[in-house]
Amino acid sequence: MKFLAGFAFLIVSMSASAQDQALDQLSQTQSESSRQIESIIVISNRTMHSLRIQLRQMKDRLFSDFNALNDDDDFDVDCRLSNEARTKIQKTSCFPVFLDNAIYQNTQDSLDLGQFGPPALDFRKSVQTLISENEDNFELLRSKIVEMAETNDEFGRGLLAFGNNQQEFDYRQQECMKKPAVLFLFRKC
């Protein structure tokens, strides 16, 4: 009988300790499930195409922010797609308004019939010549951009991010050009 009572006591005490362990495991599971799920961060290299698109969007945003902050309309920058006659590949070209005005005036001067007869095409200046003639205005434009980057934190951060992405793009393109081309013509950059 004593043996039976001892055996019953042993079974009851074992089940109580098993219940305690089960309760401990349940409370641990509940505390783990009540914790916030950690975020998963995936880091990968961007493709050259996505980097090009991001650079174009950043450039458009930077110039629109600059134009909004700038008071002088002659120093606003307009970006547009190029339509060159020799190629169907369009690229974004950005010109300040003062250079657009100089190009317009140069075109008008070269096509001006006036009293001298047909247009004098040899008087038309190249865009490079117009840029060198307006070097003072470009220097003033650079100083305005630097001043706005120093006074406006958001514009400065955007300019810095654009510079970093442009540097990454140039480096990756340079590395890609070192690799051999497929069929001696095509590269994935």
Side-chain angles (χ1 to χ4, degrees), residues 125-138:
K125 299 175 187 175
S126 69
V127 175
Q128 287 302 102
T129 305
L130 293 173
I131 288 173
S132 64
E133 287 177 358
N134 285 295
E135 189 60 39
D136 293 338
N137 287 337
F138 277 106

Side-chain angles (χ1 to χ4, degrees), residues 81-95:
L81 288 175
S82 65
N83 286 330
E84 293 188 22
R86 296 181 307 253
T87 180
K88 291 188 184 263
I89 300 172
Q90 293 183 327
K91 71 176 194 172
T92 303
S93 301
C94 298
F95 294 101

Side-chain angles (χ1 to χ4, degrees), residues 65-133:
D65 289 347
F66 174 76
N67 292 343
L69 295 170
N70 184 22
D71 296 333
D72 192 358
D73 290 340
D74 283 342
F75 290 96
D76 283 351
V77 179
D78 295 326
C79 295
R80 58 191 170 270
L81 288 175
S82 65
N83 286 330
E84 293 188 22
R86 296 181 307 253
T87 180
K88 291 188 184 263
I89 300 172
Q90 293 183 327
K91 71 176 194 172
T92 303
S93 301
C94 298
F95 294 101
V97 172
F98 64 82
L99 183 62
D100 274 343
N101 291 341
I103 292 171
Y104 171 76
Q105 188 61 45
N106 181 44
T107 304
Q108 288 299 316
D109 291 345
S110 67
L111 296 177
D112 188 19
L113 295 175
Q115 52 180 297
F116 300 111
L121 295 177
D122 57 337
F123 290 119
R124 184 167 182 179
K125 299 175 187 175
S126 69
V127 175
Q128 287 302 102
T129 305
L130 293 173
I131 288 173
S132 64
E133 287 177 358

Side-chain angles (χ1 to χ4, degrees), residues 169-184:
F169 178 79
D170 292 341
Y171 173 76
R172 288 180 58 191
Q173 189 172 28
Q174 191 178 45
E175 290 299 312
C176 181
M177 295 304 278
K178 290 178 183 177
K179 295 177 184 175
V182 178
L183 298 175
F184 302 103

